[in-house]
Amino acid sequence: MFCSFLSFAQEGMVKAEIDTTNIRIGEQFQLKISVDETQNVIIPKLRLNGLEVVDSTKVDTLKNSLIRKYILTGFDSGAFYIPQQQIFVKNKAYFTDSLLVNVATVAIDTTKVKKFPIKSIKKEPYTFDDFKIYFYILLAALAIIAFWIYWFVIRKRKEEIEAPTYRTLPPYEEAILRLSELDEKLLWQNNKVKEYYSELTEIVRGYIERELNVPALENTTDEVLEMLRDFKKADTIQTSQDTLDKLRSLLREADLVKFAKSKPLALEIEEDRKDAQEIVSNLKPKPIIEENDELE
């Protein structure tokens, strides 16, 4: 076989060339389309019959021409035409001539071909995609098992361990404990006088509410004092008038601090702290003496 270029054109504007007219099945050859113009040129998609495009290049500019190259091949024996290709130059259509390409078969001498036994079908190697569904099912199953173990074993055991056991302290012991905790906070020493008096009076009011079973935390200062005066007149509590006076002074002072922005001196704050503990220690309900009506 020899290599030569055949050229055809219409009015010299467009031209198609191939580097050979004879190939064997599967061989590749080159088709080159040239246009003697560089402006407003449109080269449509290549139209072929019996041949296939293997690759193509972009349009190149050479001097005053545009060139585009194609790599073609054929897989069927026979004579095939590359049909006329329509090229548009400045909105005018030009046609290349058709080109003939002969595709020949490859002669095989079967007497010289070494024969091999027919091999069995070989399976493709396994990939992750083959087991992906089983992997996801396993993850879902493990997640469900882990949830059940946590919900019915770990969580229940944790609740049992963390469940605290409380022992309710008597009103007096609770009040003394809270007063000690208040001292450790050092509130008024850090200029938190309002917070100090709020917690101090809350401790005293809470003690009165629990010890006398009255709503001392919800009532106002005057209502608490009036209630205790009534208890004193009814002789249902054990306390002195001095204790009631100290309670009145403590509650009044706390109201001034909380609502009137009063700033007592350190000596006054320490005195109110002592009064609070004395009130807790000296304000008790009077014990009820049960009379025995049974005749001996």
Side-chain angles (χ1 to χ4, degrees):
M1 299 178 61
F2 62 94
C3 177
S4 63
F5 279 91
L6 304 180
S7 302
F8 304 88
Q10 180 181 359
E11 300 180 7
M13 180 61 70
V14 297
K15 182 169 55 176
E17 300 174 298
I18 55 176
D19 59 358
T20 183
T21 59
N22 297 288
I23 64 170
R24 289 179 293 183
I25 291 177
E27 284 186 337
Q28 298 178 358
F29 65 97
Q30 180 178 282
L31 167 66
K32 182 173 69 173
I33 296 179
S34 304
V35 182
D36 292 338
E37 182 60 59
T38 59
Q39 300 296 326
N40 298 327
V41 177
I42 299 176
I43 303 177
K45 184 178 179 182
L46 197 64
R47 297 183 296 108
L48 298 174
N49 294 321
L51 300 174
E52 297 182 14
V53 177
V54 178
D55 196 5
S56 63
T57 64
K58 295 182 178 180
V59 177
D60 293 331
T61 302
L62 183 62
K63 294 182 180 180
N64 295 324
S65 300
L66 296 181
I67 298 174
R68 187 168 189 180
K69 297 178 181 180
Y70 301 87
I71 303 299
L72 307 181
T73 189
F75 296 103
D76 292 324
S77 60
F80 301 96
Y81 278 97
I82 298 176
Q84 291 181 323
Q85 305 298 315
Q86 188 179 32
I87 311 296
F88 294 93
V89 180
K90 295 181 179 179
N91 297 326
K92 184 178 180 180
Y94 293 85
F95 292 89
T96 64
D97 286 337
S98 60
L99 303 174
L100 178 63
V101 178
N102 294 308
V103 181
T105 59
V106 179
I108 300 176
D109 188 355
T110 57
T111 61
K112 295 182 181 181
V113 176
K114 187 177 179 180
K115 297 181 180 180
F116 296 93
I118 300 174
K119 294 183 179 180
S120 60
I121 300 175
K122 186 178 180 180
K123 295 183 178 179
E124 293 184 359
Y126 291 109
T127 63
F128 174 75
D129 290 338
D130 297 327
F131 303 97
K132 183 167 58 177
I133 183 64
Y134 303 105
F135 178 74
Y136 291 150
I137 293 174
L138 178 61
L139 285 181
L142 291 176
I144 294 174
I145 293 173
F147 172 77
W148 282 99
I149 292 175
Y150 168 78
W151 188 260
F152 291 103
V153 179
I154 299 177
R155 177 175 168 271
K156 186 176 181 180
R157 185 180 302 171
K158 186 177 180 180
E159 288 179 352
E160 293 176 354
I161 294 174
E162 293 182 353
T165 55
Y166 295 100
R167 182 177 68 87
T168 303
L169 293 175
Y172 174 76
E173 294 181 15
E174 181 186 10
I176 297 301
L177 177 62
R178 292 187 63 187
L179 287 173
S180 299
E181 293 175 348
L182 178 61
D183 294 337
E184 295 174 359
K185 293 180 181 180
L186 301 177
L187 291 177
W188 70 267
Q189 293 89 337
N190 290 286
N191 296 323
K192 296 181 180 180
V193 179
K194 182 177 179 181
E195 290 86 342
Y196 177 81
Y197 272 92
S198 294
E199 190 165 344
L200 180 65
T201 54
E202 181 183 350
I203 294 172
V204 175
R205 285 172 175 268
Y207 166 77
I208 295 173
E209 182 166 307
R210 287 195 59 199
E211 189 66 55
L212 303 182
N213 196 23
V214 293
L217 289 171
E218 301 174 2
N219 290 343
T220 63
T221 298
D222 292 336
E223 290 173 341
V224 172
L225 295 174
E226 182 67 25
M227 190 186 310
L228 294 179
R229 281 195 293 269
D230 293 340
F231 288 162
K232 178 69 174 172
K233 291 179 182 179
D235 198 23
T236 58
I237 58 175
Q238 289 182 343
T239 189
S240 63
Q241 185 61 43
D242 182 58
T243 300
L244 295 179
D245 293 340
K246 289 181 178 181
L247 174 62
R248 180 176 60 255
S249 177
L250 174 62
L251 296 180
R252 300 283 189 202
E253 184 68 31
D255 289 341
L256 290 175
V257 172
K258 289 187 290 184
F259 303 113
K261 297 183 180 180
S262 175
K263 294 183 179 180
L265 300 176
L267 184 63
E268 295 174 333
I269 297 175
E270 292 176 353
E271 190 66 28
D272 288 336
R273 166 64 177 83
K274 294 178 182 178
D275 291 345
Q277 184 161 346
E278 184 176 340
I279 294 167
V280 170
S281 301
N282 297 329
L283 184 59
K284 306 284 184 183
K286 197 168 186 179
I288 299 174
I289 301 175
E290 296 182 357
E291 297 181 359
N292 188 359
D293 296 333
E294 295 181 1
L295 298 175
E296 297 180 358

